[in-house]
Amino acid sequence: MADITLTSVGKTFSGTPAVQDISTRFEDGEFIALLGPSGCGKTTLLRLLAGFEVPSQGTIRIGDRDIANGDTGKMIPPENRNMGFVFQSYALWPHMTVRRNVSYPLEIRGFSKAEIASQTDAALTATGLGTYAERMPSELSGGQRQRVALARCLVSDPDAVLLDEPLANLDVALRASMQTVFTDFHKRTCATMVYVTHDQAEAMAMADRIAVMDNGRIQQFDTPQNLYERPKNRFVAEFVGLGTVVPMRGVEKNETSAHGHVLGRRIAINSTHECPSHVCLRPENLTISETGDLRAKVARVTYLGGKYLLETVSECGTRLLAETRAKFEVGVQLGLTITTPWAFYED
Ligand code: ATP
């Protein structure tokens, strides 16, 4: 079992916290993404899991093994954690062929020649590298090099694989195809995967659950769908997907429905909180119609392929985003209707 459990984990650099009070659990076999803006602590958290950093506080466990304890100073070194690492920079041995890069972890562990050959061949085939086995890393494309790094993980049969922005150096088309390589790898190995990225589309496409981080803390740890449809606070609502957070008042809830006043209109809302204070208006919560009584002016039009994103400004100056198949010109006045947005509580 490779559940990873973090209890009150913190990391401070020269008195400044990079990761603060993180208590959470990554389930065995889950694909987890750590997502957040630059400097929010994603890489530090990954390095704590890897054993490249010692926590200042708290404990990290894999299965029933304590691997790091900030209070006692106990620390299992990276090479004894049975984890694989995949970095943005690939970290391949430049003087070894593809085959040797993949087989080397088995050589170090003292496997027999026959075992090394069969396991290396299996890993090369699984990552589509069979025909590149005798090439040097310098003779490969970025995507192929990243596949060598994955094959090297696969051959080691790790409990968990830690990936730090592994696609950041690749172009957009290759990133999309490599996402399939990663999800296939995950299905094949059943390893727990922890994947750092600042690209939410990437996180949404691959992860079972995403930990959205800000300022060293996990703001919400949830499925991609829940993060988008049920954000817990303003930060998550604004960071994940498009939309506008607007204050609400006069909330009335009963067993079957909930309503509140938003931008001067009484509307139906969705919420699990007793007394929500804000709504998140996603483009799909705003319908353009002749009869829409919320008047707004089109300020910007962006073509998204098959549809347009309209950035509008309401009479009271609120920026609202709507999507439409029909093209509208900048400056046109529209009627908008708000349909059942998600509401949450924020101080
Ligand atoms: P990015 O997406 O830009 O890589 P990140 O979310 O991965 O950012 P971290 O690299 O974890 O962020 O950094 C979190 C904070 O800790 C930042 O303020 C960073 O400057 C600081 N930090 C990270 N490593 C060190 C270090 N070795 N010494 C001092 N400060 C550090």
Side-chain angles (χ1 to χ4, degrees):
M1 289 291 283
D3 292 354
I4 302 174
T5 309
L6 295 97
T7 309
S8 306
V9 171
K11 177 69 189 175
T12 304
F13 292 109
S14 316
T16 307
V19 162
Q20 305 188 59
D21 196 23
I22 291 191
S23 293
T24 193
R25 185 181 161 98
F26 304 156
E27 304 289 336
D28 184 36
E30 261 190 314
F31 195 137
I32 303 293
L34 305 180
L35 175 70
S38 182
C40 71
K42 309 177 290 288
T43 299
T44 303
L45 183 54
L46 197 80
R47 289 173 60 81
L48 286 165
L49 296 174
F52 301 143
E53 300 286 356
V54 184
S56 310
Q57 301 91 32
T59 56
I60 305 174
R61 291 174 75 81
I62 297 186
D64 53 10
R65 277 196 307 160
D66 245 346
I67 57 164
N69 188 322
D71 306 318
T72 62
K74 178 178 174 178
M75 182 75 183
I76 305 274
E79 60 274 21
N80 294 342
R81 295 190 177 195
N82 199 25
M83 287 176 160
F85 311 110
V86 180
F87 304 99
Q88 197 181 110
S89 59
Y90 320 123
L92 303 180
W93 290 291
H95 56 288
M96 294 183 187
T97 61
V98 168
R99 174 182 294 283
R100 187 93 200 285
N101 260 282
V102 176
S103 66
Y104 194 60
L106 300 179
E107 291 174 33
I108 293 175
R109 290 187 196 179
F111 280 58
S112 73
K113 278 199 170 151
E115 283 170 322
I116 291 174
S118 76
Q119 291 189 33
T120 303
D121 281 343
L124 289 171
T125 307
T127 47
L129 286 168
T131 52
Y132 301 95
E134 302 315 322
R135 287 206 194 172
M136 302 304 282
S138 59
E139 297 168 322
L140 300 176
S141 70
Q144 288 161 348
R145 287 181 206 185
Q146 206 49 289
R147 282 196 265 164
V148 178
L150 274 180
R152 191 173 53 190
C153 278
L154 193 56
V155 86
S156 306
D157 193 23
D159 289 330
V161 181
L162 309 178
L163 307 103
D164 192 1
E165 305 237 21
L167 302 182
N169 285 336
L170 307 182
D171 66 45
V172 177
L174 191 53
R175 289 174 82 116
S177 73
M178 283 300 288
Q179 286 173 15
T180 316
V181 175
F182 283 124
T183 45
D184 286 351
F185 175 88
H186 180 236
K187 276 194 205 124
R188 185 182 292 270
T189 57
C190 297
T192 310
M193 298 197 28
V194 185
Y195 188 107
V196 164
T197 181
H198 61 264
D199 180 335
Q200 60 170 281
E202 204 167 277
M204 292 270 194
M206 292 191 285
D208 298 315
R209 286 194 297 158
I210 302 172
V212 179
M213 295 183 65
D214 184 37
N215 215 7
R217 297 178 189 276
I218 294 180
Q219 297 292 325
Q220 186 170 351
F221 186 24
D222 220 325
T223 60
Q225 188 174 355
N226 278 348
L227 290 173
Y228 186 81
E229 294 177 2
R230 299 172 153 236
K232 207 172 128 190
N233 57 30
R234 177 190 288 269
F235 177 81
V236 178
E238 291 180 340
F239 190 76
V240 178
L242 296 172
T244 308
V245 172
V246 179
M248 175 174 60
R249 55 181 187 77
V251 175
E252 294 158 32
K253 279 188 100 173
N254 61 36
E255 274 167 25
T256 53
S257 66
H259 290 81
H261 281 85
V262 174
L263 299 172
R265 277 96 188 143
R266 185 173 182 273
I267 57 163
I269 56 164
N270 246 323
S271 185
T272 47
H273 198 278
E274 261 315 293
C275 197
S277 60
H278 289 74
V279 289
C280 172
L281 299 176
R282 300 277 187 215
E284 52 273 28
N285 299 124
L286 291 161
T287 313
I288 301 168
S289 71
E290 292 287 322
T291 53
D293 66 342
L294 180 59
R295 306 305 295 175
K297 194 176 185 178
V298 177
R300 185 194 291 254
V301 181
T302 309
Y303 183 58
L304 299 177
K307 61 185 177 180
Y308 297 89
L309 177 70
L310 305 185
E311 188 177 324
T312 72
V313 180
S314 76
E315 285 157 335
C316 60
T318 306
R319 177 180 163 272
L320 297 168
L321 299 173
E323 283 179 0
T324 156
R325 288 196 167 273
K327 187 164 187 209
F328 287 81
E329 297 300 330
V330 169
V332 164
Q333 291 278 349
L334 299 172
L336 296 170
T337 309
I338 305 176
T339 323
T340 336
W342 175 251
F344 54 87
Y345 177 78
E346 173 115 342
D347 280 335

